[in-house]
């Protein structure tokens, strides 16, 4: 096999669906970019002609066998020795490499506007990756070997997989074998109970796992994209179990997967529901103040709740944690931003309004085409050309358990991105108050991932200048979801901390200290210092006003 299954899964797990793909990936923007590139060729023919000539010369050398072009040693697509020993495959690969090299060279030599240059690079990479010789049966030596070794059964199995994906997965290659995973059985199985429920959310209280617990509870606010149980996957990587074993009282929100009838649910409705949920937590634990934690789009929702509570003069929140969440996003933060125009935003808004929701599978499909090598072509090779089943992996199982977004919520997120509503110089009104994070003065703990291209860490770093309280900013050495799922004991775990906050993120990292362990341990200490005294753990869940309704993980996780 050309690629180990676990590598396929881990690579894909670095590209989980997230809020920054809400604008979508429109074909018209690609066509527009191709038109812009054609315009530069017409206006600046010399750079293009130069690289066409160089491509022709390289092809001549390839045919003669004189070319020295070779793939990057770490490019896992070309690890098979056939690529270097078989003259036909070698020349095919070199022709493709020559095309990629000269396209990149033309873009670099052209005098394009930087934004056009970045768009051109994205589009040519998209086309180049699609044309990679490994993506066809005859062009992939590992697939041809497998075809021979199995007497053709690999092709039969691949066709079966493709047929099943056409029937059940919208024509996209499946990323995970989800059969080993059962929600409530081997994932999302930490004991607890739903103690509060509305049309929009369930509030789960988890059973304490220590004799004594901290007085101040923690309420976890998950993103509205995907289900809440990213923090409660398999027991050995469950953040909830880690917190319970450290003596914390833990509550988690589980959002209902909305349908068309919930199209009117927007951020104001979500924040109001969260505020009422905090009432339930306070009454059950008999505390006036609680801690909260929000990740990704859940962090955005939490930030609005904190701003609203500050405007009301309500101090029920003691401290908060903000994980992999960009509050003040810029178009230049990621590749998707290159294609985000006012026209694209309005088209995305109209699309979800017409349907009442932004469908979860549609969001995932859009995002996959932004990372086609990791999320599409890897699986085309594995599932169809090699005839293998995709690997079982709990993170990808969770990621594929996607949810819809109500049209109004989708529109509200687009507004935040478009208007940069959290910036101090803005006066955006939310729930009758101006959004003002400088008035949020609680201590806060922020986490970002150094290889996170979904919520880039440098964009997350801007958050430290938005809030009015004391911040701790931790940079984990992983990507988006893997930086969160970071239990102690991982020998590769590492994080960075710098107590100073220079204006530039690069300067912050230069002055940061490195720690070779999970950041969960630092967070546990930080949270423990802000969770009050220890007391005897409650012997039962809920209270008289909020008795247990159903066992964790509740019902909405199955919607």
């Amino acid at each position: 096999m050309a690629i180990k299954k676990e590598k396929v899964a881990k690579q894909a797990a670095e590209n989980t669906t997230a809020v920054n793909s809400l604008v979508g990936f429109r074909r018209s923007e690609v066509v527009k970019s191709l038109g812009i590139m054609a315009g530069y060729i017409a206006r600046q023919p010399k750079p293009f002609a130069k690289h066409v000539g160089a491509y022709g010369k390289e092809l001549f050398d390839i045919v003669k066998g004189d070319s020295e072009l070779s793939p990057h040693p770490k490019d896992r697509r070309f690890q098979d020795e056939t690529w270097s020993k078989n003259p036909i495959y070698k020349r095919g690969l070199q022709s493709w490499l020559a095309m990629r090299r000269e396209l990149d060279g033309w873009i670099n030599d052209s005098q394009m506007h930087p934004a056009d240059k970045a768009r051109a690079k994205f589009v040519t990479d998209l086309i180049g990756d699609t044309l990679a010789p490994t993506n066809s049966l005859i062009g992939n030596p590992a697939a041809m070997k497998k075809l021979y070794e199995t007497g053709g059964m690999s092709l039969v199995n691949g066709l079966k997989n493709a047929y099943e994906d056409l029937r059940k997965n919208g024509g996209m290659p499946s990323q995970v074998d989800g059969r080993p995973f059962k929600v409530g059985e081997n994932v999302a199985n930490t004991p607890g109970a739903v103690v509060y429920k509305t049309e929009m959310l369930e509030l789960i209280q988890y059973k304490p796992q220590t004799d004594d617990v901290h007085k101040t509870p923690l309420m976890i606010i998950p993103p509205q994209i995907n289900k809440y149980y990213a923090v409660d996957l398999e027991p050995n990587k469950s953040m909830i179990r880690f917190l319970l074993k450290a003596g914390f009282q833990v509550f988690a929100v589980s959002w209902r997967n909305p349908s068309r009838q919930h199209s009117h649910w927007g951020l104001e409705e979500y924040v109001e529901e969260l505020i009422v949920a905090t009432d339930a937590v306070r009454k059950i634990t008999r505390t006036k103040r609680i801690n909260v934690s929000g990740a990704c789009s859940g962090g955005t929702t939490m930030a609005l709740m904190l701003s609203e509570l500050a405007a009301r003069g309500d101090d029920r929140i003691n401290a908060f944690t903000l994980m992999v969440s960009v509050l003040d996003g810029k178009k230049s933060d990621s590749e998707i931003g290159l294609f985000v125009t006012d026209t694209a935003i309005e088209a995305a808004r109209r699309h979800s309004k017409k349907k009442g929701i932004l469908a979860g599978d549609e969001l995932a499909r859009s995002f996959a085409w932004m990372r086609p090598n990791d999320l599409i072509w890897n699986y085309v090779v594995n599932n169809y050309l090699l005839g293998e089943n995709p690997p079982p992996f709990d993170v990808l199982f969770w990621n594929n358990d996607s949810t819809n977004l109500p049209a109004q919520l989708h529109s509200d997120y687009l507004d935040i991105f478009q208007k940069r509503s959290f910036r101090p110089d803005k006066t955006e009104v939310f729930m009758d108050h101006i959004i003002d994070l400088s008035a949020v003065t609680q201590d806060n703990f922020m986490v970002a991932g150094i290889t996170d291209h979904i919520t880039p860490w440098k964009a997350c770093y801007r958050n430290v200048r938005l809030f009015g309280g004391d911040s701790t900013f931790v940079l984990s050495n992983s990507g988006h979801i893997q930086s969160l799922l970071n239990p102690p004991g991982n020998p590769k775990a590492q994080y960075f901390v710098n107590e100073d906050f220079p204006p530039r993120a690069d300067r912050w990292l230069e002055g940061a200290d490195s720690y070779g362990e999970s950041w969960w341990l630092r967070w546990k200490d930080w949270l423990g210092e802000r969770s009050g005294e220890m007391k005897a753990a409650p012997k039962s869940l809920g209270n008289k006003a909020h008795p247990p309704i159903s066992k964790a993980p509740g019902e909405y996780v199955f919607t």
Side-chain angles (χ1 to χ4, degrees):
M1 185 188 301
I3 311 167
K4 290 184 178 179
K5 278 188 175 185
E6 55 268 29
K7 288 187 177 180
V8 174
K10 288 181 178 177
Q11 194 73 25
E14 292 287 332
N15 298 283
T16 47
T17 312
V19 70
N20 72 342
S21 55
L22 294 181
V23 178
F25 186 61
R26 301 197 312 155
R27 292 174 188 164
S28 60
E29 293 296 329
V30 176
V31 173
K32 182 180 176 183
S33 296
L34 290 172
I36 292 172
M37 292 162 61
Y40 278 105
I41 292 173
R43 293 193 298 273
Q44 304 170 14
K46 285 186 178 179
F48 188 73
K50 169 188 165 186
H51 288 280
V52 169
Y55 179 56
K57 182 177 181 305
E58 189 65 42
L59 285 180
F60 186 67
D61 289 342
I62 290 171
V63 172
K64 289 195 303 178
D66 294 340
S67 174
E68 296 183 353
L69 279 177
S70 61
H72 191 284
K74 292 187 178 179
D75 192 331
R76 60 188 182 278
R77 293 172 294 181
F78 304 109
Q79 298 300 309
D80 193 295
E81 63 178 14
T82 305
W83 292 112
S84 59
K85 293 186 176 179
N86 184 296
I88 296 176
Y89 278 102
K90 182 177 180 180
R91 284 170 170 76
L93 169 59
Q94 288 178 325
S95 300
W96 178 75
L97 291 171
M99 178 194 72
R100 298 294 305 268
R101 184 185 69 181
E102 298 309 325
L103 280 173
D104 288 346
W106 165 62
I107 292 170
N108 289 332
D109 288 349
S110 68
Q111 297 179 1
M112 293 184 187
H113 184 279
D116 291 339
K117 187 174 285 189
R119 273 192 289 267
K121 183 72 171 68
F122 183 84
V123 170
T124 54
D125 282 350
L126 186 68
I127 295 171
D129 287 338
T130 302
L131 296 176
T134 46
N135 293 338
S136 67
L137 178 62
I138 197 169
N140 190 316
M144 293 300 291
K145 287 178 186 174
K146 189 76 179 288
L147 182 68
Y148 175 77
E149 291 168 356
T150 62
M153 286 308 298
S154 62
L155 180 60
V156 173
N157 292 334
L159 290 172
K160 285 181 181 177
N161 289 339
Y163 176 69
E164 290 300 312
D165 285 338
L166 281 172
R167 288 179 59 230
K168 301 176 180 176
N169 203 39
M172 296 291 285
S174 298
Q175 298 175 358
V176 63
D177 179 0
R179 289 173 296 182
F181 304 107
K182 304 293 181 187
V183 174
E185 296 181 17
N186 56 2
V187 293
N189 65 348
T190 301
V194 174
V195 292
Y196 173 72
K197 183 174 184 177
T198 70
E199 183 77 4
M200 182 181 286
L201 65 80
E202 289 178 329
L203 179 67
I204 301 171
Q205 181 184 11
Y206 287 95
K207 184 179 179 182
Q209 296 188 8
T210 52
D211 293 337
D212 296 313
V213 294
H214 284 281
K215 184 178 178 181
T216 305
L218 172 70
M219 187 177 90
I220 296 173
I221 302 169
Q224 291 89 344
I225 302 169
N226 291 108
K227 305 290 176 61
Y228 85 94
Y229 63 88
V231 291
D232 192 25
L233 290 172
E234 293 179 333
N236 63 354
K237 64 178 73 169
S238 168
M239 181 184 288
I240 288 175
R241 284 180 187 262
F242 170 78
L243 291 167
L244 291 170
K245 290 176 180 176
F248 293 99
Q249 298 186 79
V250 182
F251 292 76
V253 168
S254 174
W255 301 114
R256 179 175 188 162
N257 187 11
S259 57
R260 185 180 179 88
Q261 63 178 319
H262 308 117
S263 63
H264 61 286
W265 287 357
L267 276 168
E268 290 195 353
E269 286 76 14
Y270 276 89
V271 166
E272 194 57 54
E273 288 277 327
L274 284 177
I275 292 174
V276 178
T278 63
D279 285 334
V281 174
R282 292 192 301 162
K283 289 176 181 174
I284 290 170
T285 57
R286 298 180 180 179
T287 54
K288 292 183 178 179
R289 307 186 79 194
I290 70 170
N291 296 324
V292 290
S293 172
C296 200
S297 62
T300 306
T301 312
M302 181 184 73
L304 288 168
M305 179 186 76
L306 295 170
S307 176
E308 173 61 17
L309 290 174
R312 295 181 186 181
D314 189 324
D315 69 345
R316 70 180 64 195
I317 304 302
N318 180 61
F320 67 91
T321 302
L322 185 62
M323 302 179 183
V324 292
S325 185
V326 176
L327 300 180
D328 180 25
K330 295 180 181 178
K331 292 180 180 179
S332 57
D333 286 336
S334 64
E335 293 97 331
I336 178 60
L338 305 173
F339 297 94
V340 175
T341 62
D342 289 344
T343 302
I345 288 174
E346 293 311 315
R349 201 191 309 271
R350 286 195 302 272
H351 179 73
S352 60
K353 184 177 181 180
K354 183 178 180 181
K355 291 190 172 184
I357 55 170
L358 177 63
D361 57 349
E362 188 178 346
L363 185 64
R365 191 178 306 118
S366 173
F367 190 72
W369 278 108
M370 297 174 199
R371 296 283 167 186
N373 261 353
D374 297 328
L375 300 178
I376 296 177
W377 299 122
N378 270 346
Y379 292 99
V380 167
V381 172
N382 181 78
N383 302 2
Y384 305 158
L385 302 187
L386 297 173
E388 299 280 352
N389 290 323
F393 193 35
D394 58 348
V395 176
L396 290 178
F397 171 76
W398 161 80
N399 188 55
N400 279 260
D401 193 5
S402 62
T403 60
N404 306 320
L405 288 184
Q408 185 58 52
L409 181 64
H410 181 213
S411 179
D412 290 345
Y413 277 133
L414 293 175
D415 278 342
I416 287 175
F417 181 82
Q418 194 173 27
K419 299 176 180 176
R420 301 184 70 179
S421 305
F422 287 111
R423 284 178 59 88
D425 58 341
K426 300 289 183 175
T427 55
E428 296 297 324
V429 175
F430 180 80
M431 300 180 79
D432 297 329
H433 295 103
I434 293 175
I435 298 172
D436 181 10
L437 295 185
S438 68
V440 178
T441 56
Q442 293 93 336
D443 291 350
N444 54 81
F445 189 100
M446 301 184 187
V447 181
I450 198 167
T451 58
D452 185 348
H453 53 257
I454 298 170
T455 52
W457 81 268
K458 293 180 183 178
C460 294
Y461 180 73
R462 290 186 209 119
N463 296 342
V464 301
R465 302 197 175 283
L466 298 177
F467 291 95
D470 290 335
S471 298
T472 298
F473 187 83
V474 168
L475 183 61
S476 180
N477 68 331
S478 301
H480 188 68
I481 191 66
Q482 299 291 11
S483 65
L484 299 184
L485 304 180
N486 206 326
N490 178 3
K492 296 182 180 179
Q494 183 185 20
Y495 69 87
F496 303 88
V497 173
N498 184 349
E499 294 182 357
D500 296 326
F501 297 109
R504 295 186 59 179
D506 289 331
R507 295 287 180 269
W508 179 91
L509 184 56
E510 288 173 5
D513 294 321
S514 172
Y515 298 85
E517 61 182 19
S518 166
W519 64 267
W520 286 15
L521 298 172
R522 193 182 193 94
W523 183 43
K524 180 195 71 173
D525 293 341
W526 181 91
L527 192 60
E529 292 171 1
R530 292 159 180 80
S531 296
E533 300 174 351
M534 303 298 286
K535 67 174 187 179
K539 295 181 179 179
S540 60
L541 300 179
N543 63 6
K544 191 172 181 179
H546 300 291
I549 299 170
S550 60
K551 289 184 178 180
E555 296 178 352
Y556 285 172
V557 75
F558 299 106
T559 58

